[in-house]
Amino acid sequence: CCSYKDGTASEPYMWGGGYIPPLVGREFRHGPSGTDDRGDCYALIKDWYKAERGAELPEFPRANGWWETDSSMYIDHFKEVGFVETSGDIQIGDVALMQINAPVINHAAVYIGDGLILQHLTNRLSRRDPAALWSRLIKKWVRYNGKSNG
């Protein structure tokens, strides 16, 4: 596959096949992670779950700019693959759903313990951040129970 932006195509890359790029320091590209060591925030969560829990979260088709609509990829799909809303103590693996400069929840990060989240923002490298810095943008926390809730 490749991505297309501003009249130019990226170098080809492959996604799937079990390859997991490094979780910290990857470059941003909207879409699944691939052999170009890039991906988006959902790709990072998907890869964290594969690496840390052995869980295979499904890939979701997503058009660039989906967050400018009235539909949220996260709200629309997380429940069906086994995430449930949680209001208790945050645990490692819980996912923070955030709304950043958009009409819908458009960003997610996974809690990795010690007050830190692992996240991947547009035009930034994936990184660990203090969850408290993002608390005002977190709209809800969800926890993976491994069961389809569709």
Side-chain angles (χ1 to χ4, degrees), residues 112-138:
I112 57 172
D114 296 325
L116 298 173
I117 56 173
L118 178 65
Q119 68 173 335
H120 202 173
L121 294 161
T122 304
N123 299 321
R124 295 187 188 177
L125 299 177
S126 60
R127 65 187 192 199
R128 296 176 195 96
D129 275 331
L133 290 178
W134 297 91
S135 62
R136 67 180 180 82
L137 298 172
I138 297 172

Side-chain angles (χ1 to χ4, degrees), residues 8-57:
T8 60
S10 70
E11 290 293 318
Y13 60 89
M14 302 292 292
W15 58 275
Y19 175 72
I20 299 175
L23 296 176
V24 174
R26 60 170 77 174
E27 291 184 45
F28 188 90
R29 175 187 33 75
H30 185 249
S33 58
T35 55
D36 61 352
D37 291 343
R38 297 177 181 191
D40 60 17
C41 59
Y42 178 66
L44 185 65
I45 290 168
K46 190 173 181 261
D47 290 345
W48 185 90
Y49 266 89
K50 176 68 176 166
E52 297 297 323
R53 301 279 169 91
E56 294 274 354
L57 301 182

Side-chain angles (χ1 to χ4, degrees), residues 63-147:
N64 202 18
W66 63 262
W67 52 88
E68 296 168 350
T69 70
D70 60 358
S71 179
S72 170
M73 179 188 78
Y74 293 107
I75 299 302
D76 294 348
H77 295 291
F78 264 28
K79 184 177 179 185
E80 74 187 52
V81 298
F83 282 86
V84 295
E85 197 166 341
T86 185
S87 58
D89 290 333
I90 303 306
Q91 299 175 10
I92 293 173
D94 287 355
V95 174
L97 300 180
M98 299 182 222
Q99 189 172 342
I100 303 174
N101 300 323
V104 298
I105 288 174
N106 62 331
H107 180 60
V110 64
Y111 183 72
I112 57 172
D114 296 325
L116 298 173
I117 56 173
L118 178 65
Q119 68 173 335
H120 202 173
L121 294 161
T122 304
N123 299 321
R124 295 187 188 177
L125 299 177
S126 60
R127 65 187 192 199
R128 296 176 195 96
D129 275 331
L133 290 178
W134 297 91
S135 62
R136 67 180 180 82
L137 298 172
I138 297 172
K139 299 304 178 190
K140 62 177 69 184
W141 286 91
V142 294
R143 180 170 295 154
Y144 184 66
N145 67 13
K147 301 174 191 165

